[in-house]
Amino acid sequence: LALSFTRIQGYKEDLPEKKLKKFCMVLLDRRGEPRVKTSAVEGKDCITIAQVLVSTFTELGALQITLELLREIDCNEEAERLGELPARVSDITECSSPEKLSKNLHFVDKHRTALIQRVSTVPSLLDELLDSGVIKQEGYNTVMAQATSQAMMRELYKGPLNACGPSGKDIFYEILVELEPVLISDLRNN
C-alpha cells in the first residue's frame, strides 16, 4: 500500500498545479464505477489523492486509472515513466529486464506506441468497436475525421479507448487479434 502511495503521490508532485487540478477534474468526470466523490479530492494534497485512488480502485487499479487519466490530460511522457515502474514490492526484487517492468499493464496500453504506428485496418477496427458498444457514434465520428491511420489511433487512445476501461480494452484486443493477427503475434513475441 505504501509503495502505491509513494509511486502515485511522488509522481503527481512532478505535475504542475494546473495539471494536478485538471487530473482531479478528469478523475471526477470519469464514467466508470466506482466513482470518486468531489469532496475526497478537490483541494486535497497529493498524498490524500493517492490514498483516495488506492482505497477506491486497489493498488493496481489506482495505477491503471492514474495512467489513463495522465494520458487523457496529455501527460503521455509522465504516464510512460510511471507505467515503467514496478507495481508491487515483489516486482522490484523480481524485475531484471524492462519487459517485466510493465507486465501489469493491459496489452493495449503496454504496446500503445507500436499499435498507433502499425495498425493498418483502423476503419474496420472502429466499425467493430462501434458494433460491440465500446465506442459511441460521436467517438467514432471524431476518430474517423482524422487524416491518417496514426492520427486515428492516437485519437482513439485519447478519447473512447481511454474512457472504456479494462473490459473495453479486452474487446479492443480481441478485435485486433481478428483484424491484425500478424501484428499481435509479433507484439506478443517481443
Side-chain angles (χ1 to χ4, degrees):
L1 197 61
L3 180 60
S4 289
F5 290 167
T6 304
R7 293 178 69 221
I8 294 167
Q9 179 266 334
Y11 178 75
K12 281 201 231 153
E13 281 187 343
D14 293 340
L15 289 178
E17 187 175 332
K18 185 177 177 183
K19 289 279 188 178
L20 183 60
K21 285 182 181 179
K22 190 172 182 182
F23 178 92
C24 290
M25 286 177 21
V26 173
L27 172 64
L28 294 170
D29 288 342
R30 68 180 285 282
R31 296 178 186 155
E33 292 294 331
R35 309 248 328 153
V36 174
K37 293 182 181 179
T38 303
S39 61
V41 294
E42 195 171 75
K44 305 294 185 195
D45 61 30
C46 291
I47 293 174
T48 303
I49 294 169
Q51 290 170 337
V52 168
L53 287 168
V54 172
S55 65
T56 304
F57 301 106
T58 73
E59 289 181 47
L60 187 55
L63 175 60
Q64 186 66 37
I65 292 292
T66 300
L67 290 170
E68 290 174 10
L69 296 179
L70 286 170
R71 288 186 182 111
E72 189 169 330
I73 64 170
D74 294 323
C75 290
N76 296 319
E77 216 175 280
E78 293 87 345
E80 290 297 322
R81 279 196 342 237
L82 181 62
E84 290 172 358
L85 297 173
R88 295 183 307 264
V89 175
S90 60
D91 291 343
I92 293 172
T93 57
E94 292 173 12
C95 286
S96 58
S97 67
E99 295 81 28
K100 290 183 180 180
L101 290 174
S102 58
K103 69 181 179 181
N104 291 320
L105 289 177
H106 195 287
F107 180 90
V108 300
D109 291 323
K110 182 178 177 183
H111 298 288
R112 179 181 185 276
T113 302
L115 291 170
I116 287 171
Q117 294 301 316
R118 297 175 59 189
V119 169
S120 61
T121 57
V122 182
S124 299
L125 173 64
L126 292 172
D127 291 342
E128 293 287 333
L129 289 170
L130 183 63
D131 289 346
S132 63
V134 172
I135 63 174
K136 305 223 180 285
Q137 188 66 50
E138 182 180 343
Y140 177 92
N141 294 343
T142 301
V143 174
M144 285 296 286
Q146 303 305 307
T148 65
S149 293
Q150 289 82 13
M152 287 181 191
M153 288 296 290
R154 278 189 202 93
E155 188 64 33
L156 178 62
Y157 267 96
K158 180 180 166 188
L161 192 59
N162 189 34
C164 72
S167 60
K169 289 177 183 178
D170 290 342
I171 295 168
F172 176 62
Y173 172 77
E174 293 302 322
I175 294 168
L176 284 171
V177 168
E178 284 181 37
L179 296 176
E180 301 271 358
V182 175
L183 170 59
I184 298 303
S185 176
D186 182 51
L187 293 176
R188 276 191 206 141
N189 294 327
N190 288 332

